[in-house]
């Protein structure tokens, strides 16, 4: 589904991603871990098409298409969803209206009929139950005055409504209390499907207790320095990142 | 407080590229018009007055205003820039072909009706269904007033101003100039001297007007100034909602629009005045467009009276306008809700004055300024609380939204409080449509243009919800058109 090759990207002449190689197949869940500032959000943003970041080398194909040639909205229409690490507030625009606009934009570009207000409301109500959010959030302005945890849950609600093919979740578990974490993880699990892939950026094993990943990757200094199965996350929890970074450093020396 | 956008995060190149907006109402109607020669003199004023079959008192009133105007200087304190206006080059009277006012819709020139059709205001009686009575002012005369009979039955007077001068001189004598005196300011004095038509509304005691009353103004003829005069009186316990819309054809030369609107609310009366102003704004290089220099003021004369101004200003090359309230009656309420949008080279200096005189008077000001392109947007407001205004309260909120880095937003809130017990609250903010918000929307599949209009509409929500339903939809569409291509 997603094939990233030798991806280099940065901002203002500063390189942040330093040659990423990653393949994600339909039906898989990949976890990306790594120290602060290692480039996880940058990778997520580059995949979603944020033009703050300039791609300097490498390629990304998504469902056989050149992803890097597509605008952010085209990527969304093609089924890519990014749950933001820091969801954005849009004053005066209700959550419900925002969701409906997004939903109908997607449908329109897929040649499907737009949903009317009633049908849409019905659909959203179901999804609201899935993430156990109070329906009153639908009437509030997008993320405005939401607590940190509420914002994260709202991202999952949007994902549930928009039903992407590739979901990239950037630290959706950060800032969630224990109950909310379970609910969010439940929501994510409910969306696992053979034709859907997920890339989950997280710092914590506890999320991966609930969402068991097929692969775990460690990002450091803009590169994937180690990949493994779900056990890798446990190992990281125990030992931290330094041993991998050391290992990676040695490899780099050997390699040069 | 002055803010100029310097955001490098907003995509300026695309902003500039897309800054070509189209003006949808830019056609000219080809009708032979009955015009005065250009220029201003006592003779011209006598000509206008004669054309209108005015009683002597009206002519005297005009001449007095004119003579005073001659002693006045054009104001220059506003934050707007324009080449000097040659008042001798303006045509002060232009009427579509026929000499006399039409008796019924059948007498109205079909081309005019077509014009209105294009504007989306069918004068035909079906309009009844939507509950709007329309008084349409085309250049200088009022061409047709619908539903007059129905309103007459209730004692409501809704007619062209010139007709009111002839048929209700006692009301005109009593109220004309009672809120905006002829000596008030340069443009008000000019208007008083040369006004050609406008609307007059009188709602009798205890009557709630059953439909929205509406005027549609259009400037058609070239080199014409439009100087309408609107006077609305709500007698004790009366209630009325009035809508005003405006458009003008696209022309390279600037046209002057200097209107005066006066509102009077007696005891327990309420007047809601809504404007959607979409005069031609000029092209993307700032050529042409309407100079909109307007004086609007209401007097809450009676106890518990209320006057509410709602305006959506998207048009005009220059807007200079401060719909205000004199809160004279005890417990009276004044409100001002405004959205002003400037794109390309448009300039707007707008705001309000709330003058608290009576006890427990209350005022609310909500102003939303949106600047795009090279647009300059100024909020200028005065809240004055006199010593007599025991228990007065004001809440002001002035927000500015910037799109791009060539535009500007400026806020000048003046406060003059002479009663120490007054309660004042003021909030102000300036924000940019951030790259963050745009990207967030785009990531959800919403194209940038739609995202901008969604964000802007969200920004204006507190004002739009004050508009009558029909107008709110139109206002949203207008914003969309006016911002077309403002952001990429
Ligand atoms: N727009 C930007 N301008 C300048 N530097 C940036 C920008 N975006 C990211 N960076 C830098 O790139 C590096 C990677 O940032 P990124 O947000 O991708 O890290 P992360 O792995 O997501 O970290 P965290 O775990 O703290 O979320 C950091 O050093 C960050 O400061
Ligand atoms: Mg991050």
């Amino acid at each position: 589904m997603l094939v990233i090759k030798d991806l280099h990207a940065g901002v203002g002449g500063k390189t942040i991603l330093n040659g990423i190689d990653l393949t994600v197949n339909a039906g898989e869940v990949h976890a990306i871990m790594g120290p602060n500032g290692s480039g996880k959000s940058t990778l997520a943003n580059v995949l979603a098409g944020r033009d703050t970041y300039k791609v300097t080398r490498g390629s990304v194909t998504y469902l056989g298409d050149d992803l890097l040639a597509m605008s952010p909205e085209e990527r969304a229409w093609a089924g890519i969803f990014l749950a933001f690490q820091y969801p954005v507030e849009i004053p005066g625009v209700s959550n419900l209206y925002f969701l409906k606009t997004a939903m109908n934009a997607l449908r329109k570009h897929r040649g499907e009929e737009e949903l009317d207000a009633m049908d849409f409301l019905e659909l959203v109500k179901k999804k609201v139950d899935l993430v156990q959010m109070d329906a009153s959030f639908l009437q509030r302005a997008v993320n405005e005055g939401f607590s940190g945890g509420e914002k994260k849950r709202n991202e999952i609600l949007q994902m549930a409504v928009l039903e992407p093919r590739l979901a990239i979740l950037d630290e959706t578990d950060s800032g969630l209390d224990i109950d909310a974490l379970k609910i969010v993880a439940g929501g994510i699990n409910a969306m696992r499907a053979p034709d859907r892939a997920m890339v989950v950026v997280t710092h914590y094993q506890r999320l991966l207790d609930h969402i068991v990943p097929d692969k775990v990757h460690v990002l450091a200094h803009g590169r994937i320095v180690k990949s493994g199965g779900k056990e890798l996350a446990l190992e990281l929890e125990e030992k931290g990142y330094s041993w991998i970074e050391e290992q990676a450093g040695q490899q780099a020396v050997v390699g040069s | 407080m002055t803010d100029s956008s310097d955001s490098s995060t907003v995509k300026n190149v695309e902003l500039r590229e897309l800054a070509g907006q189209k003006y949808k109402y830019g056609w000219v109607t080809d009708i032979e018009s009955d015009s005065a020669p250009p220029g201003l003199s006592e003779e011209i004023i006598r000509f206008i007055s004669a054309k209108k079959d005015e009683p002597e008192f009206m002519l005297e009133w005009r001449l007095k205003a004119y003579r005073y105007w001659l002693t006045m200087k054009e104001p220059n304190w506003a934050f707007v820039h324009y080449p000097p206006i040659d008042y001798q080059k303006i045509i002060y009277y232009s009427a579509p072909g026929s000499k006399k006012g039409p008796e019924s819709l059948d007498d109205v020139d079909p081309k005019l009706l077509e014009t209105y059709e294009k504007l989306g205001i069918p004068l035909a009686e079906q309009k009844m269904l939507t509950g709007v009575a329309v008084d349409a002012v085309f250049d200088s005369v009022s061409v047709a007033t619908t539903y007059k009979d129905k309103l007459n039955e209730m004692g409501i007077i809704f007619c062209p101003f010139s007709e009111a001068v002839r048929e209700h001189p006692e009301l005109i004598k009593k109220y004309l100039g009672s809120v905006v005196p002829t000596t008030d300011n340069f443009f008000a004095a000019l208007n008083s001297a040369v006004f050609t038509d406008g609307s007059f509304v009188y709602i009798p005691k205890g009557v709630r007007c059953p439909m929205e009353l509406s005027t549609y103004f259009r400037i058609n003829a070239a080199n014409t100034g439009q100087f309408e005069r609107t006077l609305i009186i709500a007698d004790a316990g009366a209630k009325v909602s009035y809508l005003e819309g405006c458009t003008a054809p696209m022309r390279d030369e600037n046209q002057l629009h200097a209107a005066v609107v006066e509102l009077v609310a007696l005891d327990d009366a309420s007047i809601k005045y809504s404007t959607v102003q979409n005069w031609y704004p000029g092209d993307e290089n700032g050529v042409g467009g309407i100079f909109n220099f307007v004086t609007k003021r209401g007097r809450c004369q009676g106890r518990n009276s209320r006057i509410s101004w709602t305006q959506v200003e998207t048009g005009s090359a220059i807007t200079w306008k401060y719909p205000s309230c004199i809160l004279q009656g005890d417990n009276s309420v004044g409100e001002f809700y405004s959205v002003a949008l400037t794109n390309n080279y448009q300039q707007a200096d707008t705001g309000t004055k709330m003058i608290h005189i009576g006890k427990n008077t209350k005022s609310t000001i909500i102003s939303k300024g949106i600047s795009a392109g090279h647009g300059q947007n100024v909020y200028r407001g005065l809240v004055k609380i006199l010593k007599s205004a025991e228990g007065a309260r004001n809440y002001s909120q002035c927000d500015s939204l910037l799109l791009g880095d060539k535009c500007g937003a400026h806020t000048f809130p003046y406060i003059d409080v002479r009663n120490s017990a007054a309660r004042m609250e003021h909030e102000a903010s300036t924000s940019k449509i951030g790259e963050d918000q745009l990207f967030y929307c785009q990531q959800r599949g919403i194209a940038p243009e739609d995202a901008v209009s969604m964000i802007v509409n969200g920004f204006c929500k507190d004002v739009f919800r004050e508009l009558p339903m029909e107008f709110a939809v139109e206002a949203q569409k207008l914003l969309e058109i006016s911002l077309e291509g403002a952001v990429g």
Side-chain angles (χ1 to χ4, degrees), chain B residues 210-227:
Chain B
M211 56 180 84
E212 311 268 0
L213 300 181
S214 153
T215 307
Y216 223 99
F217 294 112
R218 179 164 174 83
I219 298 180
N220 196 58
N223 299 318
T224 310
Q226 183 155 328
F227 305 92

Side-chain angles (χ1 to χ4, degrees), chain A residues 35-42 45 85-86 170-171 201 203:
Chain A
N36 294 135
S38 57
K40 302 179 299 294
S41 294
T42 304
N45 277 293
Q85 183 173 2
Y86 305 107
D170 192 358
E171 293 198 31
V201 174
H203 284 295

Side-chain angles (χ1 to χ4, degrees), chain A residues 114-130:
Chain A
E114 295 186 15
L115 288 181
D116 67 28
M118 290 314 289
D119 291 346
F120 181 72
L121 197 62
E122 214 165 289
L123 179 125
V124 169
K125 288 253 160 82
K126 278 190 208 132
K127 306 293 184 177
V128 164
D129 291 344
L130 182 73

Side-chain angles (χ1 to χ4, degrees), chain B residues 338-460:
Chain B
S338 169
V339 166
L341 178 147
T342 53
N343 195 2
N344 297 320
Y345 285 85
Q346 280 177 278
Q347 310 170 54
D349 193 306
T350 186
T352 185
K353 283 190 273 185
M354 294 289 175
I355 315 291
H356 293 251
I357 301 170
K359 293 196 181 70
N360 301 316
T361 44
K362 218 173 100 185
S363 62
T364 301
I365 298 171
I366 296 193
S367 160
K368 305 279 180 174
I370 302 154
S371 321
H374 294 258
Q376 291 292 333
N377 215 317
V378 175
Y379 169 79
R380 188 185 302 277
L382 168 67
V383 178
K384 186 167 184 170
I385 298 192
L386 299 189
K387 207 160 170 39
S388 54
E390 209 57 58
R393 276 190 287 163
N394 164 266
Y395 173 77
S396 302
Q397 184 187 338
C398 306
D399 299 322
S400 309
L401 187 67
L402 302 168
L403 287 79
D405 63 353
K406 299 268 187 299
C407 54
H410 318 269
T411 310
F412 303 106
Y414 304 100
I415 294 171
D416 179 357
V417 181
R418 312 269 173 90
N419 184 312
S420 55
R423 276 196 284 154
M424 316 276 290
E425 261 182 89
H426 182 88
E427 288 176 27
S429 76
T430 300
S431 52
K432 292 160 195 152
I433 288 196
E435 194 252 348
D436 278 5
Q437 284 175 330
L438 269 182
F439 179 66
Y440 191 66
C441 294
Q442 280 176 279
Q443 207 307 300
R444 299 302 185 248
I446 304 167
E449 297 236 318
D450 299 334
V452 168
S453 85
M454 185 171 78
I455 294 165
V456 169
N457 275 316
F459 175 74
C460 300

Side-chain angles (χ1 to χ4, degrees), chain A residues 50 52 73 76-77 80-82 84 88-89 91-93 98 102 105 143 155 158, chain B residues 11 14 435-437 439-448 454-455 458-459 461:
Chain A
R50 188 168 205 141
T52 319
E73 61 273 21
W77 301 336
I80 289 182
F81 179 92
L82 170 63
F84 286 63
V88 178
E89 302 186 2
V93 177
F98 179 75
N143 292 324
E155 293 291 287
Q158 294 183 26
Chain B
K11 300 167 223 162
E14 284 167 65
E435 194 252 348
D436 278 5
Q437 284 175 330
F439 179 66
Y440 191 66
C441 294
Q442 280 176 279
Q443 207 307 300
R444 299 302 185 248
I446 304 167
M454 185 171 78
I455 294 165
F459 175 74
K461 201 173 105 198

